[in-house]
Amino acid sequence: MFRELARKNKQIHDEECIALLRSETRGVLSVLGDDDYPYGMPMNHYYNDEDGCIYFHCGMSGHRLDALMRHNKVSYCVCDGGYRNEGEWAWHVRSVIVFGRMEIIRDRDTIIEIAEKLSRKFTQDEAYIQKEISLFAHGTLILKLIPEHICGKLVVEA
């Protein structure tokens, strides 16, 4: 169902893909938007080791949510910051694309639990996290990306 990489020598191992999803803070989520146009948006994410799913937060309405309610298949792309080898000008960049289906979670306890975990990717300030959750959790949904295919590669931008 999912295509293989054309340049297999660029493919990174599954463990590297998961490590990238754990460590990077954001990527681009793509959905099937209005009039079947692709709609991609930058998103923060939390990779959950317990279930292998990727979680996002979103508001109670909007283009993204409307698209997901019509069609739950998505892709999510994450890239690292890259690196250069000594004496080279070309960047080496790892990327991961996750294909899967998105579930919309409306359960308040789950929203709070995931919002806390997502927030801790950015700050360990518990007082700040709890304040933000108390102010905004009531107007927040959680999106759960259930992966069906994960593929990553390392490219040299030369």
Side-chain angles (χ1 to χ4, degrees), residues 29-34 36-37 39 41 43 54-76 100-106 141-146:
L29 177 67
S30 296
V31 300
L32 189 59
D34 294 345
D36 293 340
Y37 278 97
Y39 178 54
M41 73 240 48
M43 297 282 291
I54 303 165
Y55 292 85
F56 311 87
H57 67 88
C58 77
M60 302 281 223
S61 63
H63 189 172
R64 171 184 45 229
L65 194 58
D66 292 345
L68 289 170
M69 291 173 70
R70 282 191 308 271
H71 190 77
N72 70 345
K73 289 182 180 177
V74 303
S75 69
Y76 186 60
R101 295 181 184 265
M102 193 74 82
E103 286 183 4
I104 300 166
I105 298 176
R106 299 175 189 277
L141 297 174
I142 292 294
L143 304 176
K144 177 182 180 179
L145 172 51
I146 303 164

Side-chain angles (χ1 to χ4, degrees), residues 57-151:
H57 67 88
C58 77
M60 302 281 223
S61 63
H63 189 172
R64 171 184 45 229
L65 194 58
D66 292 345
L68 289 170
M69 291 173 70
R70 282 191 308 271
H71 190 77
N72 70 345
K73 289 182 180 177
V74 303
S75 69
Y76 186 60
C77 180
V78 174
C79 296
D80 69 8
Y83 65 90
R84 281 192 243 190
N85 289 328
E86 181 86 24
E88 293 181 359
W89 64 267
W91 283 93
H92 299 246
V93 179
R94 292 180 307 156
S95 64
V96 174
I97 298 181
V98 180
F99 295 92
R101 295 181 184 265
M102 193 74 82
E103 286 183 4
I104 300 166
I105 298 176
R106 299 175 189 277
D107 174 70
R108 184 165 171 76
D109 290 338
T110 304
I111 290 169
I112 291 170
E113 174 190 348
I114 298 299
E116 287 174 345
K117 290 177 179 180
L118 177 59
S119 296
R120 287 188 190 105
K121 283 187 79 169
F122 298 95
T123 182
Q124 299 303 309
D125 184 340
E126 286 298 320
Y128 173 80
I129 291 170
Q130 295 308 316
K131 178 183 173 199
E132 290 293 300
I133 288 172
S134 69
L135 290 172
F136 300 111
H138 67 279
T140 300
L141 297 174
I142 292 294
L143 304 176
K144 177 182 180 179
L145 172 51
I146 303 164
E148 294 180 1
H149 181 72
I150 298 176
C151 189

